[in-house]
Amino acid sequence: MFKMADRLVLFPGYTAHNDHLPLADFKELAATAAECGFSHVDLGNALVSRSRYQLDNDGVYGEGYDFYPEYTAAFPDFFKFHCPAELSGVISADYVERNMEQLHLRSEILRALGLKGSLIGAAPQWLPEAIYQEHPAWRGPRCDMPFRSRRPYFAPCVDNDEVLALYREASDAIGKAAPVLDTAIFLCVDSGTGLCWYDRLYAGANGPGACRHRAMEERVAGFTSALSHGLSAGGRQPLVYLTNIPTWTFSGHLLPHPGVVAGEKIYFARAPQDKPVIHENPLGMLGELEKAVQGQADLLVVNVEQPKVTFRAGGLYPRLMKRFLANPTRGKTSQLFFMKKLATEMGLEDDDNHELTDAWQHLYRAIDDTSHNGRLFYNSIFLYVCMSCRTLTRPFLPLPESVSLEEKLYFHKHVFNSLDDEQSRNDLLFRHGGRTPFTGRSPDECERNITCLDSVLTSLDEAVRCLDRGIEAGVAASAYYVEMRRRVKGLRCFTVNLRNICAFQPILDRAAEGEFSKEANSSLLEGIMRREVDNTQELIDLLEASEVPLIPLAKKAEDENTFLFGPDLTAQLKTKISLMMRQWHDSQKLFANKTQQRGW
């Protein structure tokens, strides 16, 4: 039976690598959402920037820099829109005021369009240590991930009445500034958030002894009640969710007394895609929307990345969404017929041409293999490895120590590394706090990953060939084909980069053990280096081929961070090539000039 959610939320993803969405762009986005049939648009993009007060040295890299708070700094929470007096010593008043102003202005845009607002973020976020020095009883659980952090971080205890009063005060202020806001969804127990004594905290169940024996239901009810306190100014009872614990909900209109109900079903529809390359994945989006319909969702959040590109008026995703709301798909075959009809309606294909529909299928398979539910790799492996570990911009060096840290600083200062010792700094397979199966802990695991990545590359290459045939046939919408081809080839560059690190680092590991063999020699090493140089140059060409962004970039150099490339990305890629060319002969030194040895 078909049932569409009572609350349909458009969530223009502000994930850690995304930039602030300007007000004019938000207005256009909201109008498009209203035309599609959404009831809500998320207001989290009102944050003018990540919260630097949560970062070491105001977010400027230095010795001992801890990258873990970069997660928390990207997520909205109530204290980033209203700062109670008790927190004023550690939270920037100017930052909070600018965020609240943007929240109000966006709320007015939604009100004029007849839309409601949501706020998707993370809570309760850790507070700076100075707060707990002044208020020791507020210290709640340790909420960081020890694998990734360099020091402990503590969330406030939401069993404490004084802490709850702070959240009620913030909720009241937010509700007055944005009366259209009636829905809040907060990630909990991840990205620097946590609840006392929850058994899935990354550091294990912990918290103050005073609340150890309190039931989790009471704890969650008290916190969500405080969060919803001021969000009913618009006349509709608020709905507040905590997710990832698993999902808990609080609904004032359903509960005659304090408590927790899991009656509402919340679904996030996010097309399987891998950041940071901006691209559409329509078959993936249809599959996620179908799950929500089949699950009888009460609240459905549709997450789109980089909406200026992927949710523009008249674009693919808005047309897809409007058509789906009128007539949902049911299964893979239904999805293909749906996309074929939509492509024809939009003038992207004619009845006898299937190249675009075929390209979408090949793209879906490639992305599904890399990022959907961690089937072969970790979700967002491009984000975590190519970007956050900067394998995309760092040179492949046979002797990494041969280049000074000063010369490598352009990428090194953004490499998420919880250890930051000499060995981990020079290890291309090291991810955040160690090696993992998703890049490879051993040569055998690396070989397995190379095989999987070759399969992904095959799918991406098939998608490119389909688009090439459409372009050669002179389709009326060839501009769409050319731009989609650029994005698929961008994904291919990231995939090749992953493949190359899985091939390159095992040779260095074997060389460190003194091995010179069929598996470890300078010829193999130089072959991988050449492939990475060519791959890097291809990415440079793709980045320069259009004014429409292929990858989201910081507007200013000082805003580059581990989850966002800087505005000089192409210059950094050229520096990478230059360093590799300069140090090319290091492969000979590594193997003691045994280039002529044969007999294998």
Side-chain angles (χ1 to χ4, degrees), residues 228-259:
S228 65
H229 192 264
L231 303 188
S232 57
R236 187 176 184 184
Q237 288 292 338
L239 181 62
V240 175
Y241 282 85
L242 295 183
T243 69
N244 203 43
I245 60 174
T247 300
W248 294 79
T249 67
F250 172 84
S251 306
H253 64 290
L254 290 182
L255 296 179
H257 52 77

PDB file of all heavy atoms in Angstrom, residues 228-259:
ATOM      1  N   SER A 228      12.725  20.114  22.407  1.00  0.00           N
ATOM      2  CA  SER A 228      11.474  20.490  21.737  1.00  0.00           C
ATOM      3  C   SER A 228      10.752  21.635  22.441  1.00  0.00           C
ATOM      4  O   SER A 228       9.742  22.128  21.935  1.00  0.00           O
ATOM      5  CB  SER A 228      10.540  19.270  21.676  1.00  0.00           C
ATOM      6  OG  SER A 228      10.142  18.869  22.980  1.00  0.00           O
ATOM      7  N   HIS A 229      11.276  22.111  23.557  1.00  0.00           N
ATOM      8  CA  HIS A 229      10.571  23.042  24.433  1.00  0.00           C
ATOM      9  C   HIS A 229      10.055  24.281  23.708  1.00  0.00           C
ATOM     10  O   HIS A 229       8.911  24.714  23.939  1.00  0.00           O
ATOM     11  CB  HIS A 229      11.498  23.447  25.581  1.00  0.00           C
ATOM     12  CG  HIS A 229      10.813  24.170  26.689  1.00  0.00           C
ATOM     13  ND1 HIS A 229      10.778  25.552  26.790  1.00  0.00           N
ATOM     14  CD2 HIS A 229      10.120  23.699  27.753  1.00  0.00           C
ATOM     15  CE1 HIS A 229      10.100  25.901  27.865  1.00  0.00           C
ATOM     16  NE2 HIS A 229       9.700  24.805  28.480  1.00  0.00           N
ATOM     17  N   GLY A 230      10.855  24.865  22.837  1.00  0.00           N
ATOM     18  CA  GLY A 230      10.448  26.111  22.191  1.00  0.00           C
ATOM     19  C   GLY A 230      10.074  25.972  20.735  1.00  0.00           C
ATOM     20  O   GLY A 230       9.885  26.978  20.049  1.00  0.00           O
ATOM     21  N   LEU A 231       9.948  24.744  20.235  1.00  0.00           N
ATOM     22  CA  LEU A 231       9.750  24.548  18.790  1.00  0.00           C
ATOM     23  C   LEU A 231       8.290  24.427  18.386  1.00  0.00           C
ATOM     24  O   LEU A 231       7.995  23.907  17.319  1.00  0.00           O
ATOM     25  CB  LEU A 231      10.518  23.300  18.327  1.00  0.00           C
ATOM     26  CG  LEU A 231      12.023  23.281  18.596  1.00  0.00           C
ATOM     27  CD1 LEU A 231      12.666  22.095  17.904  1.00  0.00           C
ATOM     28  CD2 LEU A 231      12.688  24.583  18.151  1.00  0.00           C
ATOM     29  N   SER A 232       7.382  24.904  19.202  1.00  0.00           N
ATOM     30  CA  SER A 232       5.964  24.803  18.855  1.00  0.00           C
ATOM     31  C   SER A 232       5.342  26.165  18.600  1.00  0.00           C
ATOM     32  O   SER A 232       4.124  26.304  18.555  1.00  0.00           O
ATOM     33  CB  SER A 232       5.203  24.091  19.984  1.00  0.00           C
ATOM     34  OG  SER A 232       5.378  24.780  21.210  1.00  0.00           O
ATOM     35  N   ALA A 233       6.190  27.186  18.420  1.00  0.00           N
ATOM     36  CA  ALA A 233       5.672  28.536  18.207  1.00  0.00           C
ATOM     37  C   ALA A 233       4.837  28.643  16.937  1.00  0.00           C
ATOM     38  O   ALA A 233       3.978  29.504  16.825  1.00  0.00           O
ATOM     39  CB  ALA A 233       6.830  29.533  18.157  1.00  0.00           C
ATOM     40  N   GLY A 234       5.092  27.766  15.981  1.00  0.00           N
ATOM     41  CA  GLY A 234       4.349  27.808  14.732  1.00  0.00           C
ATOM     42  C   GLY A 234       3.002  27.134  14.799  1.00  0.00           C
ATOM     43  O   GLY A 234       2.275  27.081  13.804  1.00  0.00           O
ATOM     44  N   GLY A 235       2.636  26.607  15.949  1.00  0.00           N
ATOM     45  CA  GLY A 235       1.311  26.009  16.112  1.00  0.00           C
ATOM     46  C   GLY A 235       1.257  24.514  15.944  1.00  0.00           C
ATOM     47  O   GLY A 235       0.249  23.885  16.257  1.00  0.00           O
ATOM     48  N   ARG A 236       2.319  23.907  15.442  1.00  0.00           N
ATOM     49  CA  ARG A 236       2.339  22.457  15.251  1.00  0.00           C
ATOM     50  C   ARG A 236       3.238  21.836  16.308  1.00  0.00           C
ATOM     51  O   ARG A 236       4.317  22.349  16.592  1.00  0.00           O
ATOM     52  CB  ARG A 236       2.865  22.116  13.862  1.00  0.00           C
ATOM     53  CG  ARG A 236       2.746  20.626  13.517  1.00  0.00           C
ATOM     54  CD  ARG A 236       3.210  20.384  12.083  1.00  0.00           C
ATOM     55  NE  ARG A 236       3.028  18.996  11.689  1.00  0.00           N
ATOM     56  CZ  ARG A 236       3.426  18.496  10.526  1.00  0.00           C
ATOM     57  NH1 ARG A 236       4.037  19.272   9.656  1.00  0.00           N
ATOM     58  NH2 ARG A 236       3.218  17.233  10.226  1.00  0.00           N
ATOM     59  N   GLN A 237       2.798  20.746  16.874  1.00  0.00           N
ATOM     60  CA  GLN A 237       3.592  20.100  17.904  1.00  0.00           C
ATOM     61  C   GLN A 237       4.935  19.644  17.338  1.00  0.00           C
ATOM     62  O   GLN A 237       5.009  19.107  16.239  1.00  0.00           O
ATOM     63  CB  GLN A 237       2.839  18.889  18.475  1.00  0.00           C
ATOM     64  CG  GLN A 237       1.660  19.250  19.344  1.00  0.00           C
ATOM     65  CD  GLN A 237       2.085  19.915  20.636  1.00  0.00           C
ATOM     66  OE1 GLN A 237       3.210  19.757  21.084  1.00  0.00           O
ATOM     67  NE2 GLN A 237       1.182  20.689  21.227  1.00  0.00           N
ATOM     68  N   PRO A 238       5.999  19.877  18.080  1.00  0.00           N
ATOM     69  CA  PRO A 238       7.331  19.535  17.556  1.00  0.00           C
ATOM     70  C   PRO A 238       7.599  18.042  17.577  1.00  0.00           C
ATOM     71  O   PRO A 238       7.017  17.292  18.365  1.00  0.00           O
ATOM     72  CB  PRO A 238       8.266  20.269  18.510  1.00  0.00           C
ATOM     73  CG  PRO A 238       7.508  20.320  19.800  1.00  0.00           C
ATOM     74  CD  PRO A 238       6.065  20.497  19.399  1.00  0.00           C
ATOM     75  N   LEU A 239       8.493  17.650  16.704  1.00  0.00           N
ATOM     76  CA  LEU A 239       8.941  16.258  16.642  1.00  0.00           C
ATOM     77  C   LEU A 239      10.460  16.276  16.712  1.00  0.00           C
ATOM     78  O   LEU A 239      11.128  16.923  15.902  1.00  0.00           O
ATOM     79  CB  LEU A 239       8.483  15.608  15.333  1.00  0.00           C
ATOM     80  CG  LEU A 239       8.850  14.141  15.109  1.00  0.00           C
ATOM     81  CD1 LEU A 239       8.230  13.255  16.171  1.00  0.00           C
ATOM     82  CD2 LEU A 239       8.388  13.681  13.732  1.00  0.00           C
ATOM     83  N   VAL A 240      11.022  15.600  17.696  1.00  0.00           N
ATOM     84  CA  VAL A 240      12.470  15.576  17.887  1.00  0.00           C
ATOM     85  C   VAL A 240      12.947  14.132  17.872  1.00  0.00           C
ATOM     86  O   VAL A 240      12.382  13.277  18.555  1.00  0.00           O
ATOM     87  CB  VAL A 240      12.875  16.253  19.225  1.00  0.00           C
ATOM     88  CG1 VAL A 240      14.368  16.096  19.461  1.00  0.00           C
ATOM     89  CG2 VAL A 240      12.486  17.725  19.207  1.00  0.00           C
ATOM     90  N   TYR A 241      13.989  13.883  17.099  1.00  0.00           N
ATOM     91  CA  TYR A 241      14.581  12.545  16.990  1.00  0.00           C
ATOM     92  C   TYR A 241      16.026  12.571  17.461  1.00  0.00           C
ATOM     93  O   TYR A 241      16.759  13.529  17.208  1.00  0.00           O
ATOM     94  CB  TYR A 241      14.598  12.075  15.536  1.00  0.00           C
ATOM     95  CG  TYR A 241      13.295  11.577  14.974  1.00  0.00           C
ATOM     96  CD1 TYR A 241      12.373  12.462  14.433  1.00  0.00           C
ATOM     97  CD2 TYR A 241      12.997  10.219  14.961  1.00  0.00           C
ATOM     98  CE1 TYR A 241      11.184  12.009  13.888  1.00  0.00           C
ATOM     99  CE2 TYR A 241      11.811   9.750  14.416  1.00  0.00           C
ATOM    100  CZ  TYR A 241      10.906  10.651  13.888  1.00  0.00           C
ATOM    101  OH  TYR A 241       9.738  10.199  13.347  1.00  0.00           O
ATOM    102  N   LEU A 242      16.430  11.502  18.111  1.00  0.00           N
ATOM    103  CA  LEU A 242      17.843  11.199  18.294  1.00  0.00           C
ATOM    104  C   LEU A 242      18.118   9.932  17.503  1.00  0.00           C
ATOM    105  O   LEU A 242      17.429   8.920  17.703  1.00  0.00           O
ATOM    106  CB  LEU A 242      18.190  10.970  19.767  1.00  0.00           C
ATOM    107  CG  LEU A 242      18.049  12.153  20.723  1.00  0.00           C
ATOM    108  CD1 LEU A 242      18.514  11.744  22.113  1.00  0.00           C
ATOM    109  CD2 LEU A 242      18.854  13.345  20.245  1.00  0.00           C
ATOM    110  N   THR A 243      19.070   9.984  16.616  1.00  0.00           N
ATOM    111  CA  THR A 243      19.366   8.815  15.791  1.00  0.00           C
ATOM    112  C   THR A 243      20.712   8.219  16.156  1.00  0.00           C
ATOM    113  O   THR A 243      21.538   8.857  16.790  1.00  0.00           O
ATOM    114  CB  THR A 243      19.370   9.182  14.294  1.00  0.00           C
ATOM    115  OG1 THR A 243      20.496  10.013  14.019  1.00  0.00           O
ATOM    116  CG2 THR A 243      18.105   9.921  13.909  1.00  0.00           C
ATOM    117  N   ASN A 244      20.892   6.967  15.775  1.00  0.00           N
ATOM    118  CA  ASN A 244      22.154   6.249  15.938  1.00  0.00           C
ATOM    119  C   ASN A 244      22.305   5.644  17.334  1.00  0.00           C
ATOM    120  O   ASN A 244      23.384   5.277  17.726  1.00  0.00           O
ATOM    121  CB  ASN A 244      23.358   7.155  15.633  1.00  0.00           C
ATOM    122  CG  ASN A 244      24.602   6.359  15.252  1.00  0.00           C
ATOM    123  OD1 ASN A 244      24.521   5.407  14.487  1.00  0.00           O
ATOM    124  ND2 ASN A 244      25.746   6.726  15.789  1.00  0.00           N
ATOM    125  N   ILE A 245      21.171   5.526  18.093  1.00  0.00           N
ATOM    126  CA  ILE A 245      21.358   4.973  19.438  1.00  0.00           C
ATOM    127  C   ILE A 245      20.544   3.715  19.811  1.00  0.00           C
ATOM    128  O   ILE A 245      20.690   3.284  20.970  1.00  0.00           O
ATOM    129  CB  ILE A 245      21.119   6.056  20.516  1.00  0.00           C
ATOM    130  CG1 ILE A 245      19.722   6.633  20.464  1.00  0.00           C
ATOM    131  CG2 ILE A 245      22.162   7.106  20.499  1.00  0.00           C
ATOM    132  CD1 ILE A 245      19.409   7.595  21.590  1.00  0.00           C
ATOM    133  N   PRO A 246      19.792   3.040  19.007  1.00  0.00           N
ATOM    134  CA  PRO A 246      19.245   3.403  17.686  1.00  0.00           C
ATOM    135  C   PRO A 246      18.171   4.478  17.833  1.00  0.00           C
ATOM    136  O   PRO A 246      18.018   5.040  18.912  1.00  0.00           O
ATOM    137  CB  PRO A 246      18.658   2.077  17.195  1.00  0.00           C
ATOM    138  CG  PRO A 246      18.293   1.364  18.448  1.00  0.00           C
ATOM    139  CD  PRO A 246      19.310   1.742  19.470  1.00  0.00           C
ATOM    140  N   THR A 247      17.398   4.715  16.788  1.00  0.00           N
ATOM    141  CA  THR A 247      16.499   5.867  16.753  1.00  0.00           C
ATOM    142  C   THR A 247      15.547   5.909  17.947  1.00  0.00           C
ATOM    143  O   THR A 247      14.845   4.949  18.227  1.00  0.00           O
ATOM    144  CB  THR A 247      15.676   5.861  15.448  1.00  0.00           C
ATOM    145  OG1 THR A 247      16.570   5.922  14.348  1.00  0.00           O
ATOM    146  CG2 THR A 247      14.746   7.064  15.394  1.00  0.00           C
ATOM    147  N   TRP A 248      15.570   7.043  18.637  1.00  0.00           N
ATOM    148  CA  TRP A 248      14.587   7.342  19.672  1.00  0.00           C
ATOM    149  C   TRP A 248      13.815   8.568  19.230  1.00  0.00           C
ATOM    150  O   TRP A 248      14.357   9.449  18.569  1.00  0.00           O
ATOM    151  CB  TRP A 248      15.268   7.672  21.002  1.00  0.00           C
ATOM    152  CG  TRP A 248      16.012   6.546  21.619  1.00  0.00           C
ATOM    153  CD1 TRP A 248      17.252   6.104  21.278  1.00  0.00           C
ATOM    154  CD2 TRP A 248      15.585   5.721  22.687  1.00  0.00           C
ATOM    155  NE1 TRP A 248      17.628   5.057  22.080  1.00  0.00           N
ATOM    156  CE2 TRP A 248      16.628   4.798  22.966  1.00  0.00           C
ATOM    157  CE3 TRP A 248      14.434   5.666  23.470  1.00  0.00           C
ATOM    158  CZ2 TRP A 248      16.539   3.844  23.968  1.00  0.00           C
ATOM    159  CZ3 TRP A 248      14.341   4.726  24.472  1.00  0.00           C
ATOM    160  CH2 TRP A 248      15.379   3.816  24.716  1.00  0.00           C
ATOM    161  N   THR A 249      12.544   8.650  19.590  1.00  0.00           N
ATOM    162  CA  THR A 249      11.757   9.803  19.187  1.00  0.00           C
ATOM    163  C   THR A 249      10.992  10.376  20.363  1.00  0.00           C
ATOM    164  O   THR A 249      10.647   9.677  21.308  1.00  0.00           O
ATOM    165  CB  THR A 249      10.735   9.442  18.088  1.00  0.00           C
ATOM    166  OG1 THR A 249       9.751   8.569  18.658  1.00  0.00           O
ATOM    167  CG2 THR A 249      11.385   8.770  16.916  1.00  0.00           C
ATOM    168  N   PHE A 250      10.727  11.654  20.290  1.00  0.00           N
ATOM    169  CA  PHE A 250       9.840  12.312  21.241  1.00  0.00           C
ATOM    170  C   PHE A 250       8.834  13.122  20.451  1.00  0.00           C
ATOM    171  O   PHE A 250       9.195  13.904  19.589  1.00  0.00           O
ATOM    172  CB  PHE A 250      10.606  13.246  22.181  1.00  0.00           C
ATOM    173  CG  PHE A 250       9.704  14.073  23.045  1.00  0.00           C
ATOM    174  CD1 PHE A 250       9.204  13.572  24.227  1.00  0.00           C
ATOM    175  CD2 PHE A 250       9.330  15.352  22.648  1.00  0.00           C
ATOM    176  CE1 PHE A 250       8.356  14.344  25.019  1.00  0.00           C
ATOM    177  CE2 PHE A 250       8.481  16.115  23.435  1.00  0.00           C
ATOM    178  CZ  PHE A 250       8.001  15.613  24.621  1.00  0.00           C
ATOM    179  N   SER A 251       7.545  12.936  20.715  1.00  0.00           N
ATOM    180  CA  SER A 251       6.505  13.679  20.012  1.00  0.00           C
ATOM    181  C   SER A 251       5.530  14.220  21.039  1.00  0.00           C
ATOM    182  O   SER A 251       4.795  13.464  21.674  1.00  0.00           O
ATOM    183  CB  SER A 251       5.754  12.771  19.029  1.00  0.00           C
ATOM    184  OG  SER A 251       6.673  12.136  18.160  1.00  0.00           O
ATOM    185  N   GLY A 252       5.513  15.519  21.210  1.00  0.00           N
ATOM    186  CA  GLY A 252       4.631  16.105  22.206  1.00  0.00           C
ATOM    187  C   GLY A 252       3.171  15.794  21.957  1.00  0.00           C
ATOM    188  O   GLY A 252       2.382  15.674  22.893  1.00  0.00           O
ATOM    189  N   HIS A 253       2.772  15.675  20.681  1.00  0.00           N
ATOM    190  CA  HIS A 253       1.358  15.450  20.385  1.00  0.00           C
ATOM    191  C   HIS A 253       0.939  14.004  20.605  1.00  0.00           C
ATOM    192  O   HIS A 253      -0.240  13.701  20.568  1.00  0.00           O
ATOM    193  CB  HIS A 253       1.057  15.875  18.949  1.00  0.00           C
ATOM    194  CG  HIS A 253       1.763  15.081  17.899  1.00  0.00           C
ATOM    195  ND1 HIS A 253       3.119  15.172  17.697  1.00  0.00           N
ATOM    196  CD2 HIS A 253       1.310  14.180  16.998  1.00  0.00           C
ATOM    197  CE1 HIS A 253       3.468  14.371  16.704  1.00  0.00           C
ATOM    198  NE2 HIS A 253       2.399  13.757  16.271  1.00  0.00           N
ATOM    199  N   LEU A 254       1.898  13.113  20.815  1.00  0.00           N
ATOM    200  CA  LEU A 254       1.556  11.708  21.030  1.00  0.00           C
ATOM    201  C   LEU A 254       1.674  11.286  22.488  1.00  0.00           C
ATOM    202  O   LEU A 254       1.143  10.256  22.872  1.00  0.00           O
ATOM    203  CB  LEU A 254       2.472  10.810  20.186  1.00  0.00           C
ATOM    204  CG  LEU A 254       2.254  10.835  18.673  1.00  0.00           C
ATOM    205  CD1 LEU A 254       3.211   9.859  18.002  1.00  0.00           C
ATOM    206  CD2 LEU A 254       0.818  10.482  18.323  1.00  0.00           C
ATOM    207  N   LEU A 255       2.383  12.070  23.290  1.00  0.00           N
ATOM    208  CA  LEU A 255       2.681  11.633  24.646  1.00  0.00           C
ATOM    209  C   LEU A 255       1.930  12.474  25.682  1.00  0.00           C
ATOM    210  O   LEU A 255       2.209  13.657  25.834  1.00  0.00           O
ATOM    211  CB  LEU A 255       4.189  11.733  24.909  1.00  0.00           C
ATOM    212  CG  LEU A 255       5.065  10.829  24.043  1.00  0.00           C
ATOM    213  CD1 LEU A 255       6.518  11.049  24.400  1.00  0.00           C
ATOM    214  CD2 LEU A 255       4.695   9.384  24.214  1.00  0.00           C
ATOM    215  N   PRO A 256       0.979  11.871  26.389  1.00  0.00           N
ATOM    216  CA  PRO A 256       0.292  12.611  27.443  1.00  0.00           C
ATOM    217  C   PRO A 256       1.153  12.807  28.680  1.00  0.00           C
ATOM    218  O   PRO A 256       0.847  13.610  29.535  1.00  0.00           O
ATOM    219  CB  PRO A 256      -0.908  11.723  27.758  1.00  0.00           C
ATOM    220  CG  PRO A 256      -0.447  10.338  27.406  1.00  0.00           C
ATOM    221  CD  PRO A 256       0.460  10.512  26.223  1.00  0.00           C
ATOM    222  N   HIS A 257       2.250  12.067  28.759  1.00  0.00           N
ATOM    223  CA  HIS A 257       3.149  12.177  29.896  1.00  0.00           C
ATOM    224  C   HIS A 257       4.563  11.920  29.402  1.00  0.00           C
ATOM    225  O   HIS A 257       4.768  11.381  28.307  1.00  0.00           O
ATOM    226  CB  HIS A 257       2.770  11.156  30.988  1.00  0.00           C
ATOM    227  CG  HIS A 257       2.658   9.750  30.470  1.00  0.00           C
ATOM    228  ND1 HIS A 257       3.748   8.965  30.203  1.00  0.00           N
ATOM    229  CD2 HIS A 257       1.564   9.006  30.151  1.00  0.00           C
ATOM    230  CE1 HIS A 257       3.348   7.792  29.751  1.00  0.00           C
ATOM    231  NE2 HIS A 257       2.034   7.786  29.706  1.00  0.00           N
ATOM    232  N   PRO A 258       5.583  12.329  30.159  1.00  0.00           N
ATOM    233  CA  PRO A 258       6.967  12.132  29.704  1.00  0.00           C
ATOM    234  C   PRO A 258       7.262  10.673  29.420  1.00  0.00           C
ATOM    235  O   PRO A 258       6.804   9.769  30.110  1.00  0.00           O
ATOM    236  CB  PRO A 258       7.799  12.653  30.882  1.00  0.00           C
ATOM    237  CG  PRO A 258       6.894  13.608  31.581  1.00  0.00           C
ATOM    238  CD  PRO A 258       5.509  13.025  31.439  1.00  0.00           C
ATOM    239  N   GLY A 259       8.039  10.445  28.400  1.00  0.00           N
ATOM    240  CA  GLY A 259       8.408   9.089  28.022  1.00  0.00           C
ATOM    241  C   GLY A 259       8.973   9.074  26.629  1.00  0.00           C
ATOM    242  O   GLY A 259       9.191  10.107  26.022  1.00  0.00           O
TER     243      GLY A 259
END
